[in-house]
Amino acid sequence: MPQPRKQFAQHWLRSEKALSKILAAAQLQKTDVDGIPGDRVLEIGPGTGILTRQLLTQADAVVAVEIDRDLCVSLTKKLGKNENFLLLQGDFLTLDLSELLAPFPNFQNPNKVVANIPYNITGPILEKLLGTIAHPAETPFDLIVLLVQKEVALRLVAKPGSSHAGALSIRIQYLAECEFICDVPAQAFQPPPKVDSAVVRLRPRPFELTATDPRRLEQLIKLGFSSKRKMLRNNLQSLIDRDHLIQLLETQGINPQVRAEDLSVKQWVELSNQF
Ligand code: SAH
């Protein structure tokens, strides 16, 4: 095992159980005898290749993006013979995937993401994969299965009223269906991270109610959650007159004393659309 590098948030997964849960959640297919096309997977941060090796047996093609040059050398030695494997060395956040994949027809437009990602860049990775409310990803993935910090997983799947509900919950749930798959204890990694982890599955889709002014919705969510203990009407004071907001909430059948974490995604969109 290579010495893990802190700057790249390297923690090697070593639990077979966690590995099989991730793979099961990804529901991978190879092209079958009837020609029904299989999956092309994008993996971010393959590390030592423990997950990559399994992905290669279960999917048509795997594109992996790894920032660490030394790891790329050993991954190429270990897995380079697989014709369905393409390794890109670089920073996932800054590289232009579709441009890099242009010369490789078999690897273009991956339809699923399966990865044990570096936790220090979880937010930016989610944004690159899903886009934002105002600019959703143009060609969304069918399915995204990620191993993330448990605290983040709980925020991604938080229902209204949950203590984990926050701006991230609303922004991501507007863009994708979010499911909690399973807990993964810190001991499942070498070295164990300071936090527990969890597997989540995201299914990008257009939200049931479209925001007529997505920028306004983003602004509302940001301000609405700016001070967690306060009532929504106080957090939104700079944007909308208090009495007017109370009136809007009441026409939506919402208690005017509501806090940001109590509103559902649909209620956020409705509120934004009424402005
Ligand atoms: N998937 C492996 C490794 C997870 S650790 C396993 O489960 O064991 C996170 C991995 O992401 C490391 O290999 C690290 O080098 C890589 N990484 C960190 N920052 C990255 C970035 N910006 N772009 C691509 N890979 C990155």
Side-chain angles (χ1 to χ4, degrees), residues 23-30 37-44 55 58-59 61-63 97 108-115 129 139-146 201-204:
L23 290 161
Q27 301 166 328
L28 296 172
Q29 300 281 346
K30 276 190 179 278
D39 293 309
R40 292 170 311 284
V41 175
L42 168 66
E43 184 186 9
I44 304 150
L55 295 172
Q58 297 191 14
V62 177
V63 179
L97 201 59
Q108 276 163 22
N109 306 316
N111 66 315
K112 290 186 180 174
V113 180
V114 185
L129 295 176
T139 42
F141 293 98
D142 297 334
L143 207 64
I144 301 173
V145 177
L146 300 177
R201 178 163 60 192
L202 313 183
R203 220 179 276 272

Side-chain angles (χ1 to χ4, degrees), residues 210-273:
T210 307
T212 47
D213 183 350
R215 294 198 161 281
R216 170 54 52 94
L217 176 57
E218 279 178 344
Q219 187 188 26
L220 263 186
I221 294 168
K222 189 170 171 201
L223 263 182
F225 283 100
S226 55
S227 176
K228 249 205 143 183
R229 306 256 144 250
K230 283 195 199 164
M231 278 183 252
L232 183 65
R233 63 183 196 216
N234 295 332
N235 279 339
L236 294 184
Q237 243 164 12
S238 62
L239 200 66
I240 178 170
D241 169 74
R242 197 187 132 98
D243 291 338
H244 186 198
L245 181 63
I246 291 176
Q247 201 191 332
L248 285 184
L249 290 170
E250 276 172 348
T251 46
Q252 263 182 260
I254 299 169
N255 180 340
Q257 308 215 0
V258 78
R259 288 171 212 278
E261 60 264 36
D262 296 322
L263 291 190
S264 69
V265 183
K266 197 169 173 193
Q267 287 172 324
W268 279 107
V269 180
E270 279 166 355
L271 186 63
S272 153
N273 287 357

Side-chain angles (χ1 to χ4, degrees), residues 8 10-13 45-47 50 65-67 90-92 116 118 121:
F8 295 142
Q10 294 176 348
H11 297 274
W12 313 135
L13 186 64
I50 179 172
V65 180
E66 174 56 63
I67 200 169
D91 178 351
F92 174 70
N116 167 18
I121 52 170

Side-chain angles (χ1 to χ4, degrees), residues 1-14 45-48 50 71 116-120 147 186 188-195 197:
M1 283 280 172
Q3 192 63 30
R5 294 191 162 132
K6 256 206 175 131
Q7 96 241 43
F8 295 142
Q10 294 176 348
H11 297 274
W12 313 135
L13 186 64
R14 54 170 190 173
T48 59
I50 179 172
L71 286 178
N116 167 18
I117 59 175
Y119 294 174
N120 58 338
L147 190 49
F189 301 87
Q190 179 54 40
K194 288 200 183 70
V195 292
S197 298

Side-chain angles (χ1 to χ4, degrees), residues 16 34 82 106 113 183 215 244 270:
E16 288 297 327
D34 303 321
N82 292 276
N106 294 342
V113 180
D183 282 295
R215 294 198 161 281
H244 186 198
E270 279 166 355

